[in-house]
Every structure is written in C-alpha cells, then in structure tokens.
C-alpha cells in the first residue's frame, strides 16, 4: 500500500525546481538512459506528483545513481527538466533521510 | 553490501565545509603545474582551474579504496569514517594518490596554459588561493553547502578584481557560467572555456605536423549543458587531425559513467565499458576527452586497448614547441583578456 504524505506534496508544489506536470509518460527517457533504469524518471515523477513519499524514499539508491547526463532531457518530447527534478529529490532526501 | 550513500556524501560535504574541497588536496601540489610558466598572480582575466584536474589523483585513490569496500561487510564502516573525518582529516590518510597521477593531471593543465600563451592570451592565476567551484555538492543536491561555498569563491574573485574567467573543465565552466548566476544575483563575471577561447583565436596555427584520426568523446556537460560542441572539433581539425565521431556524439553523446564513480564504482565502470565499445567500432585508436572525470573513467574502462588522452595533449603536440613554455615567438598578437 502506498500512502500520500501531504507535507511532501506541499513541498513539491511550493518548489520552483520540481516540475514534471508536462510528462506524458511516453517512456523515451527510460529507453535512452545509459543506466537502462526502467524506473527513472517517468514512474518516479508519478510518485512525486502523487505525494507518495514512501515510494520515493524506497528508490533512494536509484535517485543517486542518476548520472545527471541529461540524455533523457535531450530526447524528452515534453521538455521536462529531468536533471533539475532529480537534484530536487536529492536535496529533499539529503535533508529528510541523511540529515546532511 | 553497497556503499552507504548518506555517509559517503556526508564525508565529501564535511570536507567541502571544513577543508574547501570534497577531497582535501595539497595546495602545494595543486599549483605545481604552473612552475616556470611565468603566469602573473591575479589580474582581470584569470585561468580558473577549479582544482578539478588536481582533484582527480585523489578521486582515483578514493574510488580504488571504496571499490574494494563495495559489497563487503566493511562498507558499514564508512559511517564511522564520517564521524572521525569531522575531527581529523581521514580522507588524507585513507586515500593516498600516486605521484604519477599528480604528474599526469598536472601536465594537462600545463599544456592548456601553454596553448593559451601560444595563442597570445593574457591571463593570471590565483595559485594557492584558488578554490574548487563546488560541482559535486551541487549535483548531490546539497544546496545550502553549495551556496555557502559559491559565496566564498565569489568573494575571492572580487577581492582580486577578477572580471573574466577562463575555465579548463566542463563542470567548473557549468558552475561558474550557468549555476552561480542563479544562486548569487550579483555574480556577473564573463566565463569561457579555454576550448572556446582557443577556437576563436585564428592566429593559433600548428607548429608541428600531426595527422591521423582522433575519436572525439563529447562531455555530457559541455555538449548538453553548455553547448560547447563544434569548438573542440574545429581545433582538432586546425591542428591537422581527422575527427572521427563515435555512434553517440555531439548533443546525444554517451556518458562515461564518471559522475557516479564515488558512490557506485562498479556501475560507473560498466557504463565506461559500454562507451569504450562504441569507440572500438570506429576507425582510430586515439580518443580525445575534454573532462578529467571522463578521461580517468574511460582510461580505466579501456584497460589499455585505446589511447585515451585529454584534448589539450593532442593540441599541444601540434600547436606548442615540445617541452617549451609555449610563449609565442612574436608578441605581435598579444591581445589582452578573452
């Protein structure tokens, strides 16, 4: 079961950095990813937009595995700032989970 | 067990906060490359290395050590390492770089400076005062630490009256040109990569004959973040080489894997191997990189099968006198700055 965390959702909505509402879930990002990670970024961004903090935190290793190489962004048909979104999630996890 | 992400990041950020760099580096060794090049201290235009090439020997040592801990029970000890690292400089004890690596990366910066001198570009250097630009902290999302560090860099540049920067690697270029202005509203310095500066200098002509194919590896950051794409090709061609494109090139270049080397060494190596396979499928066994991280990762991935060098090494062979200080024979075209 996945739980919606309203405070997480609020932080996402208040953020200037995170924006994935234009994502059409087409999957090109996953297809071109050099890491061949199925999750990133389309499913991950769904979790974020739905406020499913548990699901996001479960995928912490994958979020830090992202190369920020922007291959996905260069091929994204919806012009989503994927690398910046990943950085936002790292910032959130760094504060929330690792107390950095 | 994999390396614990939180403590590994924590060690690097603690180092940046307390010791000005993600891996504490010897400032004496960091400036050794400039010996006998007669580069003035400071000035309106400075060559800003951002210590990236100087950091690589430490990163290589760290990755080798961390790679051995990865997937062993010892990985758990990293958390304890962070605790002690706050008090004493554990990184310096744990990660001892090889002297040959210092020499290798230092000679690249030396070649870059010699190329700029050869092209008649006037520039200074901040020597031991120069600071790392903070790219890793930014990429890891450690915004508070990054912004505090960026302020320190900006204060240093203001103190020296610097107006324009010539950078030598894509990460420092990206930080100073595209990221700093978004977090420091009054950061208005002109920032150009030495590759862009050299490409614009038509007076830079080859002094030695070079030829043959060079396979070009675009850095993700130069190609997709900073759009530095045609300049390195123009320089290689002007030098006399034939530029060969691997399957993934220009804006669609393939990452070397290096950005995750410190957290996931095995995975980074696999990505590097995939990229090397693309090089092997085209004509030419010499590869040019433009980023110290790409060079180190790909050299490790190729296992000696290909000659992978920084682009500046190939360019220096054509444009500079062997072993010379690179100063132009005539001072006719000594235009100042960029």
């Amino acid at each position: 079961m996945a739980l919606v965390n309203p405070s997480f959702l609020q932080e996402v909505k208040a953020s200037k950095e995170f924006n994935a509402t234009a994502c059409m879930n087409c999957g090109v990002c996953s297809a071109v990813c050099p890491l061949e990670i199925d999750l990133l970024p389309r499913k991950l961004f769904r979790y974020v937009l739905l406020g499913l903090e548990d699901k996001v935190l479960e995928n912490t290793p994958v979020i830090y595995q992202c190369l920020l190489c922007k291959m996905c962004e260069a091929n994204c048909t919806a012009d989503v700032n994927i690398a910046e979104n990943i950085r936002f999630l790292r910032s959130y996890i760094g504060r929330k989970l690792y107390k950095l | 067990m994999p390396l614990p992400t939180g403590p590994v990041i924590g060690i690097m950020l603690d180092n940046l906060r307390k010791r000005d760099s993600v891996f504490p580096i010897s400032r004496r060794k960091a400036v050794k490359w400039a010996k006998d090049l007669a580069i003035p201290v400071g000035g309106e235009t400075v060559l800003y290395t951002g210590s990236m090439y100087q950091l690589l020997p430490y990163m290589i040592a760290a990755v080798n050590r961390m790679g051995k801990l990865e997937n062993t029970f010892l990985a758990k000890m990293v958390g304890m390492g962070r605790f002690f690292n706050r008090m004493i400089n554990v990184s310096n004890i744990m990660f001892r770089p090889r002297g040959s690596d210092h020499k290798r990366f230092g000679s690249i910066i030396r070649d870059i400076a010699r190329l700029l001198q050869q092209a008649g570009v006037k520039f200074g250097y901040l020597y031991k005062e120069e600071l790392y630009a903070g790219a890793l902290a930014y990429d890891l999302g450690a915004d508070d630490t990054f912004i505090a560090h960026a302020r320190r860099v900006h204060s240093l540049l203001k103190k020296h009256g610097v107006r324009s920067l010539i950078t030598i690697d894509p990460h420092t270029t990206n930080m100073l040109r595209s990221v700093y202005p978004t977090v420091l509203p009054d950061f208005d310095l002109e920032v150009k990569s030495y590759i862009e500066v050299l490409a614009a200098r038509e007076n830079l002509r080859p002094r030695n004959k070079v030829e043959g194919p060079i396979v070009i590896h675009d850095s993700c950051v130069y190609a997709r973040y900073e759009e530095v794409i045609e300049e390195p090709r123009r320089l290689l061609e002007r030098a006399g080489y034939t530029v060969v494109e691997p399957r993934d090139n220009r804006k669609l270049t393939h990452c070397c894997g290096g950005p995750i080397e410190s957290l996931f060494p095995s995975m980074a190596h696999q990505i590097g191997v995939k990229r090397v396979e693309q090089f092997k499928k085209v004509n030419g066994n010499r590869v040019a990189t433009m980023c110290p991280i790409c060079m180190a990762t790909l050299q490790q991935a190729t296992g000696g099968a290909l000659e992978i060098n920084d682009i500046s090494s190939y360019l220096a062979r054509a444009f500079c006198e062997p072993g010379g200080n690179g100063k132009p024979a005539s001072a006719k075209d000594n235009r100042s700055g960029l």
Side-chain angles (χ1 to χ4, degrees):
Chain A
M1 191 173 72
L3 287 175
V4 173
N5 179 339
S7 70
F8 174 58
L9 201 51
Q10 210 165 19
E11 192 162 338
V12 171
K13 282 185 178 163
S15 150
K16 284 181 199 156
E17 291 90 25
F18 192 90
N19 185 355
T21 46
C23 172
M24 301 175 290
N25 212 12
C26 69
V28 168
C29 51
S30 305
V32 298
C33 176
L35 283 166
E36 296 170 14
I37 294 175
D38 177 48
L39 175 79
L40 269 175
R42 58 200 187 113
K43 284 187 202 164
L44 180 66
F45 292 170
R46 289 291 139 219
Y47 296 149
V48 178
L49 291 171
L50 292 168
L52 305 178
E53 188 198 34
D54 290 354
K55 283 284 194 189
V56 173
L57 295 182
E58 251 174 48
N59 287 291
T60 294
V62 183
I63 292 166
Y64 281 97
Q65 278 160 12
C66 171
L67 297 152
L68 299 182
C69 72
K70 285 198 179 181
M71 184 65 136
C72 47
E73 248 183 74
N75 288 280
C76 178
T77 51
D79 291 331
V80 176
N81 296 326
I82 300 170
E84 193 51 33
N85 287 348
I86 296 295
R87 256 192 22 83
F88 166 82
L89 293 175
R90 287 180 180 178
S91 176
Y92 182 82
I93 293 168
R95 281 180 282 121
K96 177 95 181 178
L97 200 65
Y98 299 138
K99 317 283 180 210
L100 292 171
Chain B
M1 92 182 260
L3 293 171
T5 306
V8 174
I9 297 173
I11 288 173
M12 293 190 284
L13 296 181
D14 290 340
N15 282 339
L16 186 61
R17 288 185 205 111
K18 291 174 86 87
R19 300 172 187 119
D20 287 333
S21 179
V22 281
F23 292 99
I25 61 173
S26 151
R27 300 225 171 167
R28 185 182 58 81
K29 285 182 181 156
V31 303
K32 218 171 167 183
W33 64 267
K35 197 179 169 213
D36 300 331
L37 288 180
I39 303 171
V41 181
E44 278 203 5
T45 299
V46 297
L47 181 70
Y48 202 85
T49 74
S51 299
M52 280 295 289
Y53 279 89
Q54 297 95 319
L55 264 172
L56 255 290
Y58 297 87
M59 285 187 186
I60 291 170
V63 167
N64 286 342
R65 181 59 68 97
M66 300 297 251
K68 282 177 190 151
L69 296 182
E70 194 182 23
N71 300 322
T72 72
F73 72 98
L74 290 169
K76 283 184 194 162
M77 309 289 273
V78 178
M80 234 169 16
R82 185 186 177 195
F83 175 76
F84 288 114
N85 189 58
R86 284 178 178 152
M87 291 171 282
I88 52 163
N89 190 349
V90 171
S91 317
N92 249 11
I93 302 163
M94 286 270 294
F95 315 132
R96 286 182 177 267
R98 286 180 303 211
S100 58
D101 282 336
H102 282 303
K103 208 172 167 187
R104 191 158 64 102
F105 286 98
S107 72
I108 293 170
I109 313 173
R110 198 172 167 80
D111 279 341
I112 292 169
R114 289 172 63 214
L115 283 161
L116 288 166
Q117 288 180 331
Q118 192 65 52
V121 180
K122 281 187 178 173
F123 60 92
Y125 176 45
L126 298 179
Y127 290 86
K128 287 182 183 175
E129 281 192 81
E130 191 192 76
L131 292 168
Y132 171 63
L136 195 56
Y138 182 77
D139 287 351
L140 291 170
D143 293 342
D144 293 346
T145 306
F146 170 74
I147 294 169
H149 186 76
R151 284 201 188 105
R152 284 204 292 277
V153 175
H154 193 198
S155 301
L156 171 75
L157 297 171
K158 278 200 279 198
K159 186 182 101 180
H160 283 278
V162 177
R163 296 297 314 140
S164 54
L165 300 164
I166 303 173
T167 51
I168 67 170
D169 75 273
H171 296 272
T172 305
T173 309
N174 175 242
M175 285 300 111
L176 295 168
R177 180 152 76 189
S178 305
V179 178
Y180 274 36
T182 66
V183 297
L184 306 172
D186 58 335
F187 190 89
D188 60 354
L189 279 77
E190 184 185 13
V191 182
K192 278 188 183 172
S193 151
Y194 80 95
I195 294 176
E196 294 168 293
V197 174
L198 292 179
R201 292 271 172 148
E202 293 296 334
N203 65 313
L204 182 67
R205 307 309 307 178
R207 301 169 72 92
N208 312 302
K209 187 173 163 55
V210 295
E211 58 189 354
I214 299 273
V215 184
I216 193 162
H217 168 73
D218 289 286
S219 131
C220 300
V221 179
Y222 266 153
R224 287 194 278 267
Y225 285 67
E226 294 299 325
E227 304 204 356
V228 178
I229 297 171
E230 298 308 324
E231 292 88 343
R233 288 167 171 78
R234 283 212 305 271
L235 281 170
L236 285 169
E237 277 163 9
R238 202 193 297 165
Y241 300 107
T242 308
V243 175
V244 176
E245 305 283 353
R247 192 197 74 182
D248 295 344
N249 59 62
R250 291 189 163 87
K251 210 145 192 164
L252 296 179
T253 184
H254 191 289
C255 183
C256 66
I260 56 167
E261 186 97 54
S262 49
L263 289 172
F264 306 97
S266 320
M267 202 176 265
H269 182 70
Q270 284 166 22
I271 297 165
V273 168
K274 270 164 63 178
R275 181 56 163 165
V276 165
E277 287 310 312
Q278 292 191 355
F279 299 149
K280 286 180 180 169
K281 286 185 181 150
V282 293
N283 172 34
N285 61 357
R286 291 179 299 178
V287 180
T289 57
M290 300 162 220
C291 163
I293 299 174
C294 293
M295 189 183 93
T297 314
L298 293 170
Q299 279 179 340
Q300 202 169 26
T302 193
L306 297 168
E307 183 193 321
I308 297 178
N309 278 320
D310 194 88
I311 187 170
S312 59
S313 309
Y314 294 115
L315 296 177
R317 281 177 212 170
F319 294 116
C320 298
E321 285 187 39
N325 64 7
K327 283 183 186 166
S330 133
K332 271 184 198 164
D333 195 35
N334 255 4
R335 283 174 287 169
S336 64
L338 300 179

